[in-house]
Amino acid sequence: MAQNENLAQLSKAGVAVWLDDLSRDRIRSGNLQSLVDEHSVVGVTTNPSIFAAAISGSKSYDDQLHAMAVRKVSVEEALRTITAADVRDACDLLAPVAARTGRDGRVSLEVAPGLAHDTDATAAEAAHLWWLVNRPNLFIKIPATVAGLPAITTTIAKGISVNVTLIFSPERYRAVMDAYLSGLEQRLADDPDASFEGIESVASFFVSRVDTEIDKRLDAVGADASLKGKAGIANAQLAYQAYEEVFSSDRWKALEAKGAQPQRPLWASTGVKNPEYSDTMYISELIAPDTVNTMPEKTLMAYADHGQPGTAVQEAYADAEQVMKSVAEAGVDLDDVFRVLEEEGVQKFVDSWDELTTSVEEQLEDKA
């Protein structure tokens, strides 16, 4: 089938198009397959909010919930069984993409967000989820909290592919890249003959949430309105500059020579929150080689309909630096912005996880 031209051009520019959504209905209806066939989709990301919406709004889970209810399984086991089943089915659907590309065709499943500040528990759950889904094209999502960083290293060293999530600042992103390289180095230290085959990683750098928080603060200090809606993209562009630096270093080249793959930047939170902004700006302005852009379906379809490439990321570094400097000079404490966004990001997923747990618990009681 013919691919949408706008999205096909995005793919040719080096951007892997992923869908930021998953549900059993989307798989069973053929919708996900059609997005692969016609809209260049080569990967899927999930999070607790996505699963909460999928499970609470569908009858597709009824039979499975009934079977678990009569077996009297715990709500935690039921939750993991349901989400793992959807992710496994999506991995199977995307297996041909994985075989064709060698890098994409990946589906992400997140460790329980309540573990975000517990290194050992995060690493243990990552290993359990990897075993539970049991598909080579899986990504385990681990948050880029201070406690998450060593868990990333441990998980990569075990040969488990990782999608690092909730990255908001270039500084923390550098720590994430270091954690990835350290994991690869640890793997070799544990076994000099170890293979890197199949080990992949992406670093999910959030975009629109940065604008939402910074715009609010610019308004509060009465700053020039022309600064609004620019920091999210500029911040991400500077992250890509950091990526280019790290993945051209001698440290990286030594690992690459042994078959390691670079950890690609993934642009997350790309749905535009402010209706005054272009609905495709977080796609158009973040086009760069070896990146991933995970999009809500609404944003994906908007780009398919009228998306146009903006300034290439590699040509925007000087302007991006100036934007972030101007925002800081206007009175916005960027370090505080990134701290608040990380705390809120973890809390939002904890809240969604709690909502999901309650929903599954109620449905287990109904189906018993």
Side-chain angles (χ1 to χ4, degrees), residues 40-319:
S40 299
V41 169
V42 292
V44 169
T45 47
T46 69
N47 61 48
S49 303
I50 285 169
F51 279 124
I55 294 169
S56 63
S58 170
K59 295 192 180 310
S60 295
Y61 299 90
D62 287 0
D63 289 348
Q64 190 177 22
L65 281 162
H66 174 70
M68 289 188 289
V70 297
R71 287 173 48 226
K72 295 184 168 50
V73 304
S74 69
V75 64
E76 291 81 7
E77 184 185 345
L79 194 50
R80 276 309 182 202
T81 301
I82 291 167
T83 55
D86 282 0
V87 168
R88 188 183 300 116
D89 287 348
C91 282
D92 289 345
L93 188 153
L94 286 163
V97 175
R100 184 180 82 241
T101 64
R103 308 206 66 194
D104 289 301
R106 296 269 175 168
V107 185
S108 298
L109 179 61
E110 191 150 349
V111 296
L115 306 177
H117 302 297
D118 186 330
T119 300
D120 291 345
T122 294
E125 176 150 354
H128 176 68
L129 293 178
W130 184 257
W131 167 84
L132 183 63
V133 175
N134 192 28
R135 293 294 185 272
N137 53 329
L138 175 68
F139 267 134
I140 301 298
K141 284 178 89 171
I142 295 177
T145 54
V146 170
L149 295 170
I152 292 159
T153 295
T154 299
T155 305
I156 290 291
K158 288 178 181 172
I160 295 171
S161 294
V162 175
N163 174 347
V164 184
T165 188
L166 293 175
I167 309 171
F168 296 99
S169 71
E171 181 184 26
R172 182 59 59 84
Y173 177 42
R174 285 182 181 276
V176 166
M177 290 187 282
D178 178 72
Y180 174 61
L181 298 189
S182 295
L184 296 173
E185 289 162 346
Q186 182 63 50
R187 185 168 174 79
L188 283 182
D190 293 343
D191 177 6
D193 297 323
S195 168
F196 293 139
E197 187 176 353
I199 301 175
E200 283 284 340
S201 186
V202 292
S204 295
F205 199 91
F206 281 54
V207 189
S208 69
R209 290 191 198 179
V210 173
D211 273 335
T212 301
E213 182 67 22
I214 288 180
D215 284 2
K216 182 173 69 178
R217 296 187 186 213
L218 288 169
D219 282 341
V221 296
D224 184 344
S226 68
L227 279 175
K228 291 171 66 176
K230 293 186 175 172
I233 289 167
N235 194 46
Q237 289 165 335
L238 295 177
Y240 191 80
Q241 186 179 33
Y243 160 80
E244 288 196 309
E245 184 184 311
V246 170
F247 287 96
S248 60
S249 66
D250 289 341
R251 180 186 181 192
W252 165 246
K253 285 175 182 171
L255 291 163
E256 187 178 38
K258 294 188 177 289
Q261 292 282 8
Q263 179 189 56
R264 289 180 292 174
L266 179 152
W267 312 127
S269 176
T270 56
V272 176
K273 309 283 196 293
N274 189 329
E276 294 175 17
Y277 301 157
S278 161
D279 57 357
T280 60
M281 62 190 260
Y282 299 128
I283 317 300
S284 300
E285 300 301 327
L286 291 174
I287 297 174
D290 289 324
T291 56
V292 178
N293 198 311
T294 189
M295 313 171 199
E297 187 172 20
K298 183 179 176 184
T299 305
L300 180 85
M301 291 307 179
Y303 197 89
D305 179 65
H306 53 264
Q308 294 293 324
T311 304
V313 168
Q314 291 146 308
E315 296 169 15
Y317 298 149
D319 287 346

